[in-house]
Amino acid sequence: MRLTYKDLVNKLTDLKALSLIPVEGERVYTATSYDRASRYDYETDTYINWDANNDGSGYIRKEGKNIVAMEADGPGVIWRIWSALPQEGNICIYIDGEEAVCCPFRDFFEKVFSEDIVPMNFPNLVPTLSRGRNSFIPIPFQKHCKIVFEENWGAYYHIIYSVYPEGTILPSISDMYSNSSMVALAEADRILSFKGNYPYEGNGDQIFTKTTTIPSKGEKTLFKVDENGAIKMLAMTIKNNNEKEIEKALKDLVISITWDNNKSPSVFAPLGGFFGTANGINEYRSYVMAIKGNTMYSYWYMPFEKADIQILNKSGIDYELSYEIRYEKIKNVDKLLRFHCKWHDGDFQYLDRKRFEKGGDRYPDWPLALIKGKGRFCGINLHVLNTWEEPENKADTWWYGAWDKKSIDWWWGEGDEKFFIDGEVFPSIFGTGSEDYIGYAWGAEPPFAIFESPYACQSNVPLDGNGHTSVNRFHICDNIPFNKSFEGFIEKYKEDIWGENNICKYDVAAYWYQML
């Protein structure tokens, strides 16, 4: 397989590619600054210091005064580089033994190409999200890649990269700087700028629209097709005018989608979780999901031989719902994965839950998705309800103070993502904090910001964080293939009830593709 740089850029926007079956040798890894005190003991089959939280300290090794942040054999592609605090020390990227990039880490997000073409010319590919710096500009390497940070480089980093099967031919780093590659990046950035306004392809799409009533304590079939196809867009509008009823509907109305002749639904989630919003309607635009007004949009590509979409109503209220489904007829559906979405608020399934409670060696891991089979993990909507009573003592600084001078230790985050692929005992994806995984930074210092971008959004959060938080992270170019299993966790340090009258509860909708 030979890939051009334009082929790599196309992966930034190709939703259909998420349904392709992973090939042997295709993997995704991260290199991050997680606390290396966390480790696995093979002799005792236990996890040591699993809640260690000095997550700006980690690296592979030192070379003089510099640190090696990432080292990997190719062929591979770096998809995302993130930092909470890039500073003036250099990031040096060595590709196939040659220095390809060496510049101040801060400049990497602003000036790395040339004086005329800079990453900030691609605001959707290099977004700053509430102080978090992100770059989704692909960096290919054929044989080997090493990334070194020199003194004063900053604090906290994530590098997520794919490796491909032996024999894959990738473009050279010089191809990345060519005129055609710059044009391809500009085109991708423009496509990603259409967040929530997906540019439909083809005149042969089938369009199905209807308005219906979902009866109380009942269910309604919205869409049933017995021929090969793929849904490209699913939009729904709850017609009830009462805002409280709409908020309630997003919890009470459950979308259930069954593909082919499968006995159980592949999609089963409250409408709010499925469309990535909590609590109630919160407008946002991402590349794959959006909410505009009272209308909710999904652009996930959903192949099927047969499709059956139903809405279940758990409430005692009748809801009026209008919807539009756009789909295309396709062939060779048997060679494509099926879209999945499942919601839960703490389902440990087959795991020994005691190990995940305080005192257990897996504490504080909280499950995002536990999947058996072959597929691609593609992201989450995470809803956090974190509320507390106002402290009697006021902080010396605004809101609730900072660091060790807080009037109340209220921050829900710090939770590292830990993704175990195909039964590995130590996660090949090990993050540094909940907000870092999403793509922002310093989440424990209000006021909180609402933001949106193609791959990550925070659509709901109070200024001081006291209430409902809704965040999305979508893996498109950096989707995570698995052949046998995927176990994804995020650390949850706070108990459901913390303090006397304080609450911290999670629920999640996970999105992935899988062979039925």
Side-chain angles (χ1 to χ4, degrees):
M1 178 173 64
R2 180 182 294 271
L3 298 173
T4 66
Y5 193 75
K6 186 172 183 178
D7 291 331
L8 300 182
V9 173
N10 287 342
K11 291 179 181 291
L12 299 169
T13 60
D14 189 355
L15 298 181
K16 293 182 179 181
L18 300 177
S19 65
L20 298 179
I21 298 172
V23 298
E24 187 175 351
E26 180 186 4
R27 284 292 306 267
V28 167
Y29 300 91
T30 59
T32 77
S33 56
Y34 79 90
D35 192 332
R36 265 49 176 188
S38 294
R39 59 187 180 86
Y40 173 74
D41 189 314
Y42 286 85
E43 291 186 2
T44 61
D45 184 29
T46 56
Y47 293 85
I48 311 298
N49 297 320
W50 209 231
D51 59 347
N53 194 37
N54 188 15
D55 287 320
S57 64
Y59 52 84
I60 295 175
R61 65 178 182 276
K62 275 200 165 186
E63 292 183 348
K65 295 182 178 181
N66 304 330
I67 65 168
V68 176
M70 172 212 167
E71 191 162 32
D73 292 327
V77 178
I78 296 171
W79 294 114
R80 174 191 180 229
I81 296 180
W82 166 92
S83 180
L85 188 65
Q87 293 188 327
E88 297 305 317
N90 285 341
I91 177 176
C92 297
I93 303 177
Y94 299 89
I95 293 178
D96 300 338
E98 301 291 334
E99 183 180 279
V101 172
C102 197
C103 67
F105 195 22
R106 183 182 298 164
D107 287 359
F108 175 81
F109 299 98
E110 300 176 3
K111 304 177 183 177
V112 71
F113 291 123
S114 70
E115 293 297 324
D116 298 322
I117 304 172
V118 299
M120 293 182 73
N121 288 355
F122 307 117
N124 295 287
L125 293 176
V126 191
T128 298
L129 306 178
S130 189
R131 297 177 63 184
R133 307 301 298 271
N134 297 264
S135 173
F136 285 93
I137 294 177
I139 301 175
F141 55 96
Q142 188 63 46
K143 296 180 180 179
H144 189 76
C145 181
K146 182 171 77 169
I147 296 182
V148 173
F149 287 131
E150 298 182 349
E151 280 190 292
N152 301 317
W153 62 270
Y156 299 92
Y157 67 86
H158 282 207
I159 304 162
I160 188 164
Y161 61 96
S162 294
V163 295
Y164 292 103
E166 185 178 351
T168 303
I169 306 300
L170 296 175
S172 69
I173 191 66
S174 61
D175 293 333
M176 175 179 165
Y177 295 95
S178 70
N179 181 65
S180 61
S181 294
M182 292 297 109
V183 170
L185 287 170
E187 290 173 342
D189 190 81
R190 181 62 57 89
I191 292 172
L192 292 173
S193 74
F194 294 131
K195 302 185 298 292
N197 295 286
Y198 192 80
Y200 300 115
E201 299 174 358
N203 297 320
D205 289 352
Q206 308 293 306
I207 303 174
F208 185 86
T209 61
K210 192 174 182 180
T211 298
T212 189
T213 297
I214 314 299
S216 65
K217 303 297 182 180
E219 59 187 58
K220 181 67 69 75
T221 297
L222 303 188
F223 180 75
K224 196 165 186 176
V225 175
D226 291 335
E227 62 178 355
N228 290 2
I231 294 172
K232 299 168 66 176
M233 190 272 282
L234 171 60
M236 293 187 179
T237 305
I238 299 170
K239 306 296 284 187
N240 299 52
N241 292 323
N242 186 300
E243 184 177 332
K244 285 294 182 182
E245 282 191 3
I246 294 176
E247 179 181 314
K248 190 173 187 302
L250 293 178
K251 300 175 183 177
D252 290 338
L253 296 181
V254 176
I255 184 170
S256 174
I257 305 179
T258 303
W259 306 123
D260 310 343
N261 292 314
N262 205 24
K263 294 181 180 179
S264 59
S266 295
V267 173
F268 197 83
L271 285 187
F274 176 79
F275 285 105
T277 180
N279 187 45
I281 288 280
N282 303 293
E283 289 199 3
Y284 75 92
R285 298 181 307 151
S286 75
Y287 186 58
V288 290
M289 308 276 277
I291 295 178
K292 294 178 286 184
N294 284 347
T295 302
M296 304 170 289
Y297 297 86
S298 163
Y299 302 110
W300 294 108
Y301 190 73
M302 306 181 192
F304 57 83
E305 292 181 357
K306 298 180 180 180
D308 186 354
I309 302 179
Q310 297 184 351
I311 297 292
L312 288 63
N313 186 351
K314 300 187 297 180
S315 78
I317 302 173
D318 291 345
Y319 291 108
E320 187 178 3
L321 184 73
S322 65
Y323 59 97
E324 177 180 341
I325 298 172
R326 184 182 291 259
Y327 71 101
E328 63 180 359
K329 297 180 180 180
I330 60 174
K331 299 178 181 180
N332 300 321
V333 180
D334 58 319
K335 298 180 180 179
L336 297 177
L337 304 171
R338 300 298 187 260
F339 177 77
H340 287 63
C341 173
K342 294 291 178 70
W343 176 94
H344 70 87
D345 57 0
D347 184 4
F348 285 77
Q349 295 186 39
Y350 49 84
L351 300 173
D352 179 1
R353 187 156 186 167
K354 291 182 179 179
R355 295 184 68 181
F356 296 81
E357 297 172 348
K358 277 192 174 180
D361 67 313
R362 291 293 301 272
Y363 172 82
D365 287 0
W366 189 90
L368 296 173
L370 303 172
I371 306 164
K372 298 291 187 182
K374 179 190 287 284
R376 297 179 184 274
F377 180 74
C378 295
I380 61 167
N381 164 250
L382 179 65
H383 170 218
V384 179
L385 174 58
N386 189 35
T387 64
W388 59 88
E389 293 184 331
E390 290 294 318
E392 293 182 4
N393 298 323
K394 300 298 181 182
D396 294 334
T397 56
W398 71 337
W399 303 104
Y400 302 105
W403 307 112
D404 60 345
K405 296 182 179 180
K406 293 178 183 176
S407 58
I408 185 171
D409 186 16
W410 54 269
W411 171 231
W412 60 267
E414 300 302 328
D416 308 346
E417 77 274 16
K418 299 171 183 173
F419 296 168
F420 298 75
I421 314 302
D422 294 341
E424 60 192 6
V425 296
F426 194 88
S428 50
I429 295 176
F430 197 140
T432 60
S434 309
E435 74 271 37
D436 307 351
Y437 168 62
I438 302 301
Y440 62 116
W442 308 110
E445 296 182 14
F448 278 96
I450 288 175
F451 59 82
E452 61 183 23
S453 70
Y455 308 134
C457 305
Q458 182 163 261
S459 63
N460 185 28
V461 64
L463 282 175
D464 64 353
N466 192 342
H468 294 275
T469 296
S470 181
V471 290
N472 301 324
R473 169 71 163 98
F474 304 119
H475 298 267
I476 308 304
C477 58
D478 58 344
N479 68 83
I480 301 164
F482 54 93
N483 289 295
K484 298 178 181 178
S485 63
F486 174 91
E487 294 185 345
F489 300 86
I490 198 159
E491 292 176 336
K492 182 177 184 292
Y493 283 90
K494 287 199 175 301
E495 300 295 317
D496 287 355
I497 306 298
W498 60 280
E500 190 170 338
N501 295 300
N502 305 330
I503 297 171
C504 183
K505 294 184 178 180
Y506 287 11
D507 63 73
V508 66
Y511 313 101
W512 74 94
Y513 287 78
Q514 184 180 355
M515 294 184 69
L516 291 181

